[in-house]
């Protein structure tokens, strides 16, 4: 939807390499270098949609280095916390990396998937600023935007999420459920990988196991289809 906003010069950056079926760090950093200084860069914090390919810690460091050099403003999309590794802290590592390096940025977090609240579509937007004054200005602008869009949204989803996060027993049970979902996704990947190898389907399918989260991307040409 961002590309449809009036006045927004929207461009996609390189991410997926169909030759390796992996992450193209060189291509992404090249595109970030060529972007105008101070550009807004949307990133997936973990369990990338639609490739299932996440940068390593070392690759995240390089991405942050380029963003800092170009004074880019990151927006981190966090819809699948826990689905990449089964560990909340590990999946949030990219966010802490940007915070530790003094970035001002936004985190857009959704609980729709990781709490099973699809019908509620609940989430939160987190602003990380350098000063209390900047944080206050961001909050003021968000209130203006919210007022013009939906003013007072239904509170059901927010109350469910708040109850879950603020009750120790409920939070522990929720974390266990997310870990089980992650384990189920890994089992499904393993089953598919084994089935393709058993059926002697041409090509290497190891990227099914290397990718993570809910999404699996395989480059299939027209002839194969």
């Amino acid at each position: 939807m961002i590309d449809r906003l009036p006045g927004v010069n929207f461009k996609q950056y390189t991410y997926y390499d169909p030759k390796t079926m992996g992450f193209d760090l060189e291509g992404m950093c090249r595109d970030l270098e060529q972007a105008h200084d101070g550009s807004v860069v949307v990133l997936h914090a973990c369990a990338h949609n639609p490739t299932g390919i996440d940068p390593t810690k070392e690759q995240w460091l390089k991405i942050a280095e380029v963003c800092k050099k170009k004074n880019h403003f990151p927006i981190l999309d966090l819809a699948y916390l826990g689905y990449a590794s089964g560990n909340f802290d590990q999946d949030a590592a990219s966010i802490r990396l940007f915070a530790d390096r003094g970035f001002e940025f936004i985190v857009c977090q959704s609980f729709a998937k990781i709490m099973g609240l699809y019908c509620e579509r609940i989430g939160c937007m987190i602003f990380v600023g350098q000063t209390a004054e900047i944080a206050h200005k961001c909050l003021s602008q968000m209130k203006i935007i919210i007022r013009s869009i939906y003013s007072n949204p239904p509170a059901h989803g927010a109350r469910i999420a708040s109850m879950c996060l603020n009750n120790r027993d409920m939070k522990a049970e929720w974390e266990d459920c997310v870990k089980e979902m992650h384990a189920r996704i890994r089992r499904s990947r393993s089953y598919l990988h084994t089935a393709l190898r058993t059926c002697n389907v041409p090509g290497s399918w190891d990227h099914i196991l290397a990718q993570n989260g809910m999404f699996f991307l395989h480059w299939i040409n027209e002839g194969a289809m």
Side-chain angles (χ1 to χ4, degrees):
M1 297 296 292
I2 296 176
D3 60 324
R4 301 177 188 175
L5 295 175
V8 174
N9 183 17
F10 173 83
K11 291 184 179 180
Q12 294 185 349
Y13 54 77
T14 301
Y15 191 90
Y16 180 75
D17 185 348
K19 294 180 180 179
T20 64
M21 298 186 187
F23 176 52
D24 187 351
L25 175 64
E26 182 179 347
M28 180 176 180
C29 288
R30 181 187 62 246
D31 289 349
L32 293 179
E33 286 273 12
Q34 293 176 354
H36 293 299
D37 290 358
S39 293
V40 175
V41 180
V42 180
L43 305 164
H44 267 193
C46 66
H48 186 268
N49 177 1
T51 69
I53 304 165
D54 292 334
T56 64
K57 180 179 179 180
E58 291 71 24
Q59 290 170 334
W60 272 118
L61 287 169
K62 180 61 177 177
I63 294 168
E65 178 184 317
V66 176
C67 287
K68 176 67 74 172
K69 174 184 175 182
K70 296 288 291 183
N71 196 32
H72 292 331
F73 185 88
I75 296 180
L76 286 109
D77 182 345
L78 184 62
Y80 311 105
L81 182 68
Y83 279 12
S85 69
N87 183 287
F88 287 170
D89 287 335
Q90 187 172 328
D91 284 3
S94 59
I95 295 172
R96 293 193 176 95
L97 185 149
F98 280 93
D100 291 343
R101 277 151 186 77
F103 278 87
E104 290 188 332
F105 63 100
I106 294 174
V107 178
C108 299
Q109 183 171 10
S110 170
F111 296 113
K113 299 167 186 66
I114 61 176
M115 282 190 176
L117 296 174
Y118 258 90
C119 292
E120 302 295 344
R121 308 306 292 182
I122 186 64
C124 61
M125 180 175 285
I126 303 167
F127 292 88
V128 180
Q130 295 298 311
T131 66
E133 181 183 4
I134 292 174
H136 177 74
K137 289 180 178 179
C138 289
L139 179 60
S140 174
Q141 290 300 307
M142 280 308 303
K143 286 180 177 179
I144 294 172
I145 294 171
I146 289 171
R147 182 65 177 174
S148 65
I149 297 176
Y150 51 76
S151 187
N152 295 291
H156 311 96
R159 287 174 178 168
I160 292 172
S162 178
M163 184 184 299
C164 181
L165 292 172
N166 289 289
N167 181 290
R168 182 177 299 178
D169 293 337
M170 286 186 178
K171 184 178 180 181
E173 182 179 357
W174 168 57
E175 289 178 354
D176 287 341
C177 288
V178 173
K179 289 177 182 177
E180 173 54 33
M181 179 56 69
H182 166 259
R184 179 188 175 193
I185 292 171
R186 296 307 305 175
R187 289 195 299 269
S188 297
R189 288 182 178 276
S190 180
Y191 295 154
L192 177 59
H193 179 261
T194 300
L196 289 168
R197 289 175 63 89
T198 301
C199 294
N200 295 317
V201 179
S204 171
W205 298 93
D206 292 344
H207 56 287
I208 297 175
L209 303 178
Q211 296 172 9
N212 59 47
M214 296 173 61
F215 301 96
F216 159 59
L217 182 62
H218 179 74
W219 193 265
I220 301 177
N221 60 37
E222 187 175 349
M225 290 294 291

